[in-house]
Amino acid sequence: HFLPKSICPLVGLSFYNFVPSCSVCNEKLKRKKELGTSVDEWKRVSPTSDEYNFDDEVKIRIATHDATGNLTHYLQSPDNYHVRFEADKDSIYNREIGMFCLPERYNYHKNEALRIHDVLIDYSDENLDKISMLLGGDYTKEKLRNEIIGLATDSQNSVLMGKMRKDIVESNIHK
Protein backbone atom coordinates (compact mmCIF):
# COMPACT_ATOMS: atom_id res chain seq x y z
CA HIS A 1 0.00 0.00 0.00
CA PHE A 2 1.31 3.41 -0.95
CA LEU A 3 -0.64 5.02 1.91
CA PRO A 4 -0.58 2.72 4.93
CA LYS A 5 -4.00 1.26 5.78
CA SER A 6 -3.46 2.22 9.41
CA ILE A 7 -3.16 5.90 8.47
CA CYS A 8 -5.69 6.06 5.63
CA PRO A 9 -8.11 3.10 5.83
CA LEU A 10 -10.54 4.60 3.30
CA VAL A 11 -8.13 3.93 0.43
CA GLY A 12 -6.93 0.58 1.76
CA LEU A 13 -8.51 -1.33 -1.13
CA SER A 14 -8.19 1.28 -3.87
CA PHE A 15 -6.23 0.08 -6.89
CA TYR A 16 -4.49 3.47 -6.93
CA ASN A 17 -3.11 2.75 -3.48
CA PHE A 18 -1.46 -0.51 -4.52
CA VAL A 19 2.07 -0.28 -5.87
CA PRO A 20 3.88 -3.44 -6.99
CA SER A 21 6.96 -3.92 -4.84
CA CYS A 22 9.25 -6.64 -3.65
CA SER A 23 8.90 -7.99 -0.14
CA VAL A 24 12.12 -6.30 1.02
CA CYS A 25 10.86 -2.86 -0.07
CA ASN A 26 7.39 -3.41 1.30
CA GLU A 27 7.91 -5.38 4.52
CA LYS A 28 11.41 -4.45 5.63
CA LEU A 29 12.03 -0.89 4.41
CA LYS A 30 8.78 1.00 3.88
CA ARG A 31 6.57 -0.79 6.39
CA LYS A 32 4.11 1.86 7.64
CA LYS A 33 6.21 4.88 6.73
CA GLU A 34 4.86 7.52 4.40
CA LEU A 35 6.79 8.95 1.49
CA GLY A 36 4.92 12.25 1.65
CA THR A 37 3.19 14.38 4.25
CA SER A 38 0.55 16.14 2.13
CA VAL A 39 -1.70 15.41 -0.81
CA ASP A 40 0.62 17.39 -3.11
CA GLU A 41 3.63 15.36 -1.97
CA TRP A 42 1.73 12.08 -2.28
CA LYS A 43 0.85 12.94 -5.87
CA ARG A 44 4.52 13.56 -6.67
CA VAL A 45 5.85 10.35 -5.08
CA SER A 46 3.14 7.85 -5.91
CA PRO A 47 4.18 5.77 -8.96
CA THR A 48 0.51 5.58 -10.01
CA SER A 49 0.20 9.38 -10.22
CA ASP A 50 0.59 11.40 -13.40
CA GLU A 51 2.79 13.79 -11.37
CA TYR A 52 5.34 11.07 -10.52
CA ASN A 53 8.60 12.16 -12.17
CA PHE A 54 11.36 10.07 -10.58
CA ASP A 55 12.76 9.07 -13.96
CA ASP A 56 13.41 12.67 -15.03
CA GLU A 57 14.39 14.15 -11.66
CA VAL A 58 16.77 11.41 -10.49
CA LYS A 59 19.77 10.14 -12.44
CA ILE A 60 21.86 7.08 -11.67
CA ARG A 61 25.58 7.46 -12.29
CA ILE A 62 28.85 5.65 -11.75
CA ALA A 63 31.37 7.63 -9.69
CA THR A 64 34.94 7.02 -8.59
CA HIS A 65 35.83 6.78 -4.92
CA ASP A 66 38.75 9.13 -5.44
CA ALA A 67 39.11 12.42 -7.27
CA THR A 68 41.17 11.06 -10.15
CA GLY A 69 38.18 10.45 -12.38
CA ASN A 70 40.39 8.09 -14.36
CA LEU A 71 37.73 6.16 -16.20
CA THR A 72 39.10 3.36 -18.34
CA HIS A 73 37.82 -0.20 -18.45
CA TYR A 74 35.80 -0.25 -15.27
CA LEU A 75 35.52 -3.97 -14.61
CA GLN A 76 39.32 -4.16 -14.25
CA SER A 77 39.00 -2.30 -10.94
CA PRO A 78 35.38 -2.41 -9.69
CA ASP A 79 36.30 -1.47 -6.14
CA ASN A 80 37.25 2.01 -7.36
CA TYR A 81 33.65 2.81 -8.32
CA HIS A 82 30.20 3.12 -6.79
CA VAL A 83 26.66 3.77 -7.99
CA ARG A 84 25.39 7.24 -7.12
CA PHE A 85 21.87 8.68 -7.26
CA GLU A 86 21.74 12.34 -8.28
CA ALA A 87 18.77 14.56 -7.47
CA ASP A 88 18.40 18.19 -6.51
CA LYS A 89 19.14 18.75 -2.83
CA ASP A 90 15.51 19.58 -2.03
CA SER A 91 13.96 16.95 -4.31
CA ILE A 92 11.17 14.96 -2.71
CA TYR A 93 12.68 11.85 -4.31
CA ASN A 94 15.64 11.98 -1.92
CA ARG A 95 13.29 10.62 0.74
CA GLU A 96 12.42 7.69 -1.54
CA ILE A 97 16.09 7.08 -2.36
CA GLY A 98 16.91 6.99 1.36
CA MET A 99 13.90 5.01 2.54
CA PHE A 100 14.51 2.21 0.05
CA CYS A 101 18.33 2.29 0.49
CA LEU A 102 18.68 2.57 -3.28
CA PRO A 103 22.41 3.43 -3.46
CA GLU A 104 23.33 0.48 -1.25
CA ARG A 105 21.04 -1.88 -3.11
CA TYR A 106 22.17 -0.74 -6.56
CA ASN A 107 25.83 -0.96 -5.55
CA TYR A 108 25.23 -4.66 -5.12
CA HIS A 109 24.62 -4.70 -8.90
CA LYS A 110 27.30 -2.19 -9.87
CA ASN A 111 29.12 -4.71 -12.07
CA GLU A 112 26.24 -4.42 -14.55
CA ALA A 113 26.72 -0.64 -14.61
CA LEU A 114 30.48 -1.09 -15.04
CA ARG A 115 29.90 -3.60 -17.84
CA ILE A 116 27.80 -1.00 -19.66
CA HIS A 117 30.58 1.55 -19.33
CA ASP A 118 33.07 -0.95 -20.75
CA VAL A 119 30.75 -1.75 -23.66
CA LEU A 120 30.39 1.96 -24.42
CA ILE A 121 34.19 2.25 -24.52
CA ASP A 122 34.57 -0.78 -26.80
CA TYR A 123 31.66 0.21 -29.04
CA SER A 124 32.39 3.88 -29.71
CA ASP A 125 30.30 5.82 -32.21
CA GLU A 126 33.04 5.22 -34.78
CA ASN A 127 32.97 1.44 -34.20
CA LEU A 128 29.17 1.37 -34.34
CA ASP A 129 29.25 3.23 -37.67
CA LYS A 130 31.63 0.58 -39.05
CA ILE A 131 29.41 -2.25 -37.80
CA SER A 132 26.37 -0.55 -39.31
CA MET A 133 28.13 -0.33 -42.68
CA LEU A 134 29.12 -4.01 -42.47
CA LEU A 135 25.47 -4.88 -41.85
CA GLY A 136 24.38 -2.96 -44.92
CA GLY A 137 23.17 0.11 -43.06
CA ASP A 138 20.06 -1.65 -41.73
CA TYR A 139 21.03 -0.86 -38.15
CA THR A 140 21.51 2.69 -36.92
CA LYS A 141 24.14 3.54 -34.33
CA GLU A 142 21.41 3.93 -31.69
CA LYS A 143 19.75 0.62 -32.56
CA LEU A 144 23.08 -1.23 -32.39
CA ARG A 145 23.98 0.41 -29.07
CA ASN A 146 20.59 -0.50 -27.62
CA GLU A 147 20.90 -4.10 -28.81
CA ILE A 148 24.43 -4.51 -27.44
CA ILE A 149 23.66 -2.97 -24.04
CA GLY A 150 20.28 -4.61 -23.62
CA LEU A 151 18.06 -1.54 -23.87
CA ALA A 152 16.25 -2.74 -26.99
CA THR A 153 13.90 -4.89 -24.94
CA ASP A 154 13.71 -2.28 -22.21
CA SER A 155 11.65 0.57 -23.66
CA GLN A 156 9.47 0.68 -20.54
CA ASN A 157 12.30 0.07 -18.02
CA SER A 158 10.83 -3.40 -17.61
CA VAL A 159 14.18 -5.16 -17.41
CA LEU A 160 15.99 -5.31 -14.09
CA MET A 161 18.07 -2.16 -13.64
CA GLY A 162 16.55 -0.61 -16.78
CA LYS A 163 16.65 2.95 -15.48
CA MET A 164 20.26 2.56 -14.39
CA ARG A 165 21.20 1.24 -17.84
CA LYS A 166 19.42 4.08 -19.60
CA ASP A 167 20.95 6.78 -17.36
CA ILE A 168 24.49 5.43 -17.71
CA VAL A 169 24.22 5.27 -21.50
CA GLU A 170 22.77 8.78 -21.59
CA SER A 171 25.53 10.20 -19.38
CA ASN A 172 28.25 8.63 -21.54
CA ILE A 173 26.80 9.74 -24.84
CA HIS A 174 26.48 13.36 -23.65
CA LYS A 175 30.02 13.68 -22.30
Side-chain angles (χ1 to χ4, degrees):
H1 293 90
F2 176 73
L3 296 172
K5 294 183 293 185
S6 60
I7 294 170
C8 199
L10 287 175
V11 295
L13 294 177
S14 168
F15 285 119
Y16 295 105
N17 195 36
F18 290 115
V19 177
S21 65
C22 69
S23 62
V24 172
C25 286
N26 190 39
E27 297 167 15
K28 305 261 188 246
L29 300 173
K30 182 181 178 294
R31 303 180 56 88
K32 294 182 180 184
K33 299 176 203 158
E34 293 181 71
L35 285 166
T37 58
S38 68
V39 172
D40 287 334
E41 284 186 358
W42 292 332
K43 285 180 185 177
R44 295 221 32 239
V45 296
S46 174
T48 60
S49 170
D50 290 337
E51 294 181 32
Y52 187 71
N53 200 19
F54 186 93
D55 198 44
D56 291 333
E57 288 192 34
V58 177
K59 296 301 176 193
I60 304 170
R61 305 283 189 241
I62 288 292
T64 59
H65 288 300
D66 57 27
T68 64
N70 184 15
L71 305 176
T72 56
H73 278 77
Y74 297 85
L75 282 173
Q76 291 175 358
S77 53
D79 292 340
N80 292 338
Y81 304 98
H82 63 278
V83 175
R84 181 176 69 209
F85 281 71
E86 296 177 354
D88 288 339
K89 182 180 74 163
D90 56 349
S91 172
I92 193 165
Y93 299 110
N94 286 319
R95 190 178 309 151
E96 189 173 342
I97 291 165
M99 180 184 292
F100 294 108
C101 305
L102 295 181
E104 297 85 355
R105 296 174 79 197
Y106 271 66
N107 270 299
Y108 182 78
H109 299 284
K110 78 176 173 185
N111 282 352
E112 172 60 11
L114 297 175
R115 181 195 70 79
I116 292 168
H117 272 288
D118 286 351
V119 166
L120 290 169
I121 290 168
D122 293 337
Y123 292 92
S124 65
D125 283 349
E126 182 180 309
N127 289 341
L128 291 174
D129 283 337
K130 290 176 184 175
I131 294 169
S132 178
M133 285 177 32
L134 287 171
L135 295 173
D138 292 337
Y139 282 87
T140 64
K141 214 174 357 193
E142 292 75 21
K143 187 173 180 180
L144 284 168
R145 184 180 293 114
N146 289 344
E147 290 281 344
I148 292 166
I149 291 172
L151 291 173
T153 57
D154 193 28
S155 61
Q156 300 296 316
N157 288 337
S158 59
V159 174
L160 180 65
M161 304 290 155
K163 176 172 175 35
M164 179 178 72
R165 289 178 185 189
K166 182 179 72 73
D167 286 353
I168 289 170
V169 169
E170 182 181 286
S171 70
N172 277 279
I173 291 174
H174 300 331
K175 277 187 175 178

